[in-house]
Amino acid sequence: MPTYSTSAILIRRVDYGDYDLILNFLTRDRGKISAIAKSAKRSRKRFGGVLELFNSLDIVVSRGRGKGLSVVNEASLIKPLFNIGTDIKKTAYASYWAELTNLWLEEGRAQTGIYDLLDHVLAELDAGAVSGEVLSILFQMRFLNLSGLCPNLSHCSTCSIETDAAPRHRMNFDLSKGGVVCERCAPYGKEEHCLSRGTIKQLQWIDNGDIRKATRIRFSAQALKEGLRFLESFVPYHLGKEPRSLKFLRQIR
Ligand SMILES: [Zn+2]
């Protein structure tokens, strides 16, 4: 069987029988792949205990013939994560990002931008200097952008007036239109569907430029609340389903 090696992040892991694991990886070179790790469950020694969720690994994979599953032959850790697995809130955020990646991406299509993004937010989450909330806004905004589903925040989706020139200091977001609508066009918008101008600015800043600088943006408590509320409705709406990990995240938050 032809063999290749690549960097990969483990985004899903399920038991397969008594001995094996079925793993989904986001690889740097080949996008999302799934593969079986034989005897990984029976013996932790087989892969040195590195096949844990969210780990960043170098893997060697034999490609399956026809519709056969690929097989993981070797896996080694690129950098260890110390803090995600022992912190329930960090685990909840990492699970949400991994599930989005797993649900959204097609198998076998390289998405280097999304790989670098996921790698970055997991490392920052583990390091702990930036909160899970800010990283989740960063991840979702950039993930949507890289997937071609960037929400329109710059102008009213109905009359096209620019957000800065809109009559009030807030806009309503309309999921079906994929963006914001001014208060003149949607005067009876619900309170929970509103984004203040300040929040919109911060969402636009975090979506642009160098990713390391983007995480230094200081979000106000209101911007965090509005931004997360907006993205956590926008993402499931476009995904066509509510990720299971999002329910869990809401519970523990
Ligand atoms: Zn309008």
Side-chain angles (χ1 to χ4, degrees), residues 156 158-159 161 182 185:
C156 170
T158 302
C159 72
I161 190 172
C182 76
C185 295

PDB file of all heavy atoms in Angstrom, residues 156 158-159 161 182 185, ligand 1:
ATOM      1  N   CYS A 156     -25.653  47.266   5.664  1.00  0.00           N
ATOM      2  CA  CYS A 156     -26.974  46.649   5.812  1.00  0.00           C
ATOM      3  C   CYS A 156     -27.255  45.725   4.630  1.00  0.00           C
ATOM      4  O   CYS A 156     -27.077  46.104   3.473  1.00  0.00           O
ATOM      5  CB  CYS A 156     -28.029  47.750   5.888  1.00  0.00           C
ATOM      6  SG  CYS A 156     -29.715  47.114   5.793  1.00  0.00           S
ATOM      7  N   THR A 158     -29.969  44.819   3.505  1.00  0.00           N
ATOM      8  CA  THR A 158     -31.163  45.195   2.744  1.00  0.00           C
ATOM      9  C   THR A 158     -30.949  46.492   1.950  1.00  0.00           C
ATOM     10  O   THR A 158     -31.044  46.497   0.734  1.00  0.00           O
ATOM     11  CB  THR A 158     -32.384  45.344   3.691  1.00  0.00           C
ATOM     12  OG1 THR A 158     -32.563  44.094   4.367  1.00  0.00           O
ATOM     13  CG2 THR A 158     -33.650  45.671   2.919  1.00  0.00           C
ATOM     14  N   CYS A 159     -30.598  47.593   2.655  1.00  0.00           N
ATOM     15  CA  CYS A 159     -30.504  48.878   1.940  1.00  0.00           C
ATOM     16  C   CYS A 159     -29.060  49.271   1.624  1.00  0.00           C
ATOM     17  O   CYS A 159     -28.817  50.303   0.997  1.00  0.00           O
ATOM     18  CB  CYS A 159     -31.171  49.983   2.747  1.00  0.00           C
ATOM     19  SG  CYS A 159     -30.227  50.468   4.210  1.00  0.00           S
ATOM     20  N   ILE A 161     -26.740  50.550   3.390  1.00  0.00           N
ATOM     21  CA  ILE A 161     -26.094  51.651   4.134  1.00  0.00           C
ATOM     22  C   ILE A 161     -24.943  51.073   4.965  1.00  0.00           C
ATOM     23  O   ILE A 161     -25.055  49.974   5.509  1.00  0.00           O
ATOM     24  CB  ILE A 161     -27.106  52.408   5.032  1.00  0.00           C
ATOM     25  CG1 ILE A 161     -26.481  53.682   5.581  1.00  0.00           C
ATOM     26  CG2 ILE A 161     -27.591  51.527   6.193  1.00  0.00           C
ATOM     27  CD1 ILE A 161     -27.473  54.586   6.314  1.00  0.00           C
ATOM     28  N   CYS A 182     -29.825  47.157   9.111  1.00  0.00           N
ATOM     29  CA  CYS A 182     -29.928  48.372   9.934  1.00  0.00           C
ATOM     30  C   CYS A 182     -31.305  48.452  10.600  1.00  0.00           C
ATOM     31  O   CYS A 182     -32.236  47.755  10.214  1.00  0.00           O
ATOM     32  CB  CYS A 182     -29.650  49.620   9.100  1.00  0.00           C
ATOM     33  SG  CYS A 182     -31.006  50.114   8.024  1.00  0.00           S
ATOM     34  N   CYS A 185     -34.360  49.193   8.392  1.00  0.00           N
ATOM     35  CA  CYS A 185     -34.901  48.080   7.595  1.00  0.00           C
ATOM     36  C   CYS A 185     -35.505  46.989   8.485  1.00  0.00           C
ATOM     37  O   CYS A 185     -36.343  46.227   8.026  1.00  0.00           O
ATOM     38  CB  CYS A 185     -33.815  47.479   6.711  1.00  0.00           C
ATOM     39  SG  CYS A 185     -33.220  48.625   5.467  1.00  0.00           S
TER      40      CYS A 185
HETATM   41 ZN    ZN B   1     -31.011  49.040   5.911  1.00  0.00          ZN
END
